[in-house]
Amino acid sequence: MSLKQRREEFEKTNSRKEGRILTFHGAEGYDVYNCSIPFDDQGHRCMYGRTEKREEWARSMTLLFECVGPDEWVRVQDIKYPIEDPNITVIGGKLILNGTFTVYRSGRLDGYYALFYRGTDSKDMYYFATGPYNMKDIRLVELPDHRIGVFSRPRNDEIIRLYGSESQIGFTVIDDLNELTEEAISNAAYIPGLFSEGEWGGCNQAYLLDSGYIGVIGHKSYQSGQKERDILHSYINIAFVFDPVRHRILEERILATSASYPAFPAKESRLRDCCFTSGIVMREDGKADLYSGLGDTVEGRIVIDDPFEGYGKMVPFGTIG
C-alpha cells in the first residue's frame, strides 16, 4: 500500500488531536518553525528554532528560545547559528546541535551540508563536524555501551535508479564523536523496506529504548500533481522501531498528518500539507507531546499515545555538563 493510501486510511479513524500552535516572542517579523524538541539545560527549558521571513528562502538562522509558559517561548538574545531545521541530542554529557547549512555559488542555491555543534551550554556551542554533500536528516543516538548510532539519509539520482524511491535511511555505529566523518556517514548500510516508489523521508529524532531497540520519530513524503503550479508536497509524521542488531524495522506507523493539527498558514501553496517532524517528549500521563513544523511557517504540538509502546520505554537523555 502506498503512503498516500495509508494516509487516507489513517485519517478515516484519526481526527484532529488536542493541539496548539506555539508562540515565540523576540523574533517578530520572522516565522519560527521546524524546531528542535524541547530540552533541559542548566535549569531552563530550551528549544532551538529555525527563523525566516515569510517571503524569503534559504536565508534561515537558528535561534535559541526559553519556555516561559505553556506553548510560549521567548528568544534568548545574541544566540544565532547559520543552519536550518535544528535538532538536538545528548551524547556523553555533551549537547549535540545539528542543522542544515545551504550553499550558494554564483548567486544560485548549489546544495547543502549538515553541520554539527557540541558543548555543555546551549548558548555556547562549538562546530565540530560536517556531513556529506547534499545529505540532510543525519541523526545521532547514544547506545547502551556509549557508542553512537548514526542514521544517514542519502537522496540522489542513484537512489532513484536503484530503489525507485527518492531517498533511503542508513544506519551505522561509531565509537566516539571524532569518528563522525563524511565517509562513515556515507557508508551507513541502508535499512530495507522503508520507502515505496516516489517516496522520500528521514529520521528526525532517535531515542534509545530500554529494550535495546531504537525508537525513531521521522517523516515520510510524497508529491502530488504534474504541473508546477499544481504540485503539492505532502510530509507526514511517522515513527518506526529499529533493531540495531538485526538491522531491520520491527514496526512503522503514521503518527499525524496536517489534518491532525490546528489550522496553519503555508509559506507557499505547495507546502500546505507539510508536517516536518521535530520529535516527541514523553508526558507524565504516559502519552507523548509530538512537535512538528507546519507549512514552513509555524511549530505545532499535539498529544499522541506512546508510539513505541510494546517495544520498551524511552531512556532519558543524559544530563548536560
Side-chain angles (χ1 to χ4, degrees):
M1 184 182 297
S2 70
L3 179 59
K4 184 177 181 179
Q5 292 170 321
R6 290 178 55 209
R7 180 247 184 91
E8 292 169 352
E9 290 299 312
F10 172 85
E11 290 183 340
K12 288 179 182 178
T13 56
N14 287 266
S15 57
R16 191 176 300 279
K17 307 288 187 182
E18 172 194 341
R20 298 287 187 273
I21 301 298
L22 276 57
T23 299
F24 294 92
H25 303 286
E28 285 72 18
Y30 291 79
D31 293 326
V32 183
Y33 61 101
N34 292 10
C35 300
S36 75
I37 56 171
F39 61 96
D40 292 318
D41 183 21
Q42 303 181 40
H44 300 277
R45 192 68 165 164
C46 299
M47 170 188 280
Y48 290 106
R50 173 179 175 175
T51 62
E52 191 171 56
K53 291 183 178 180
R54 183 73 56 90
E55 68 276 9
E56 294 181 343
W57 287 97
R59 201 181 174 192
S60 298
M61 297 296 292
T62 283
L63 307 182
L64 180 65
F65 296 87
E66 183 178 333
C67 187
V68 293
D71 301 311
E72 190 172 3
W73 301 78
V74 65
R75 180 184 177 184
V76 178
Q77 295 297 323
D78 301 323
I79 310 302
K80 184 183 295 185
Y81 297 93
I83 53 175
E84 303 175 352
D85 305 341
N87 62 91
I88 63 97
T89 191
V90 178
I91 294 174
K94 296 288 196 303
L95 178 67
I96 309 298
L97 168 66
N98 165 25
T100 302
F101 178 78
T102 54
V103 178
Y104 270 81
R105 288 190 173 90
S106 302
R108 300 184 63 181
L109 182 64
D110 184 72
Y112 43 82
Y113 293 93
L115 302 186
F116 292 84
Y117 300 79
R118 63 182 170 188
T120 56
D121 183 345
S122 59
K123 298 182 289 297
D124 190 21
M125 302 288 283
Y126 292 84
Y127 162 74
F128 75 97
T130 302
Y133 179 63
N134 271 357
M135 187 185 295
K136 299 182 180 182
D137 305 332
I138 303 166
R139 299 296 186 265
L140 311 180
V141 59
E142 188 167 20
L143 302 176
D145 59 5
H146 302 297
R147 293 190 300 162
I148 302 163
V150 181
F151 288 92
S152 68
R153 205 290 316 255
R155 183 182 180 188
N156 51 50
D157 291 340
E158 182 71 2
I159 296 293
I160 296 174
R161 186 182 69 81
L162 292 175
Y163 300 99
S165 62
E166 293 197 22
S167 71
Q168 291 290 311
I169 295 177
F171 180 79
T172 190
V173 176
I174 58 177
D175 290 329
D176 59 55
L177 290 172
N178 293 328
E179 295 183 4
L180 186 65
T181 63
E182 295 182 41
E183 182 180 15
I185 298 167
S186 296
N187 290 336
Y190 296 162
I191 302 169
L194 271 172
F195 300 105
S196 298
E197 185 175 353
E199 297 174 0
W200 72 94
C203 169
N204 293 75
Q205 191 73 45
Y207 306 85
L208 178 66
L209 306 182
D210 61 10
S211 59
Y213 298 142
I214 299 172
V216 173
I217 304 296
H219 68 281
K220 292 181 79 169
S221 313
Y222 63 92
Q223 180 176 292
S224 303
Q226 300 298 321
K227 297 181 179 179
E228 182 65 31
R229 65 180 181 180
D230 298 326
I231 288 177
L232 178 65
H233 295 285
S234 295
Y235 282 66
I236 292 171
N237 304 146
I238 63 119
F240 64 83
V241 178
F242 177 65
D243 181 343
V245 176
R246 296 177 176 82
H247 201 85
R248 64 187 180 98
I249 301 298
L250 301 180
E251 182 178 350
E252 184 254 310
R253 67 178 71 170
I254 293 174
L255 297 181
T257 69
S258 58
S260 306
Y261 290 90
F264 57 87
K267 194 176 184 80
E268 283 192 350
S269 61
R270 64 188 175 91
L271 297 172
R272 66 185 183 274
D273 194 29
C274 178
C275 299
F276 186 77
T277 321
S278 296
I280 63 169
V281 175
M282 293 305 299
R283 298 159 51 101
E284 291 184 357
D285 61 7
K287 293 183 180 296
D289 285 321
L290 171 63
Y291 290 85
S292 180
L294 304 171
D296 273 14
T297 59
V298 299
E299 183 78 10
R301 177 189 63 84
I302 59 174
V303 180
I304 62 171
D305 293 332
D306 180 356
F308 309 128
E309 186 174 4
Y311 294 96
K313 294 186 180 299
M314 283 171 43
V315 177
F317 290 157
T319 301
I320 301 169

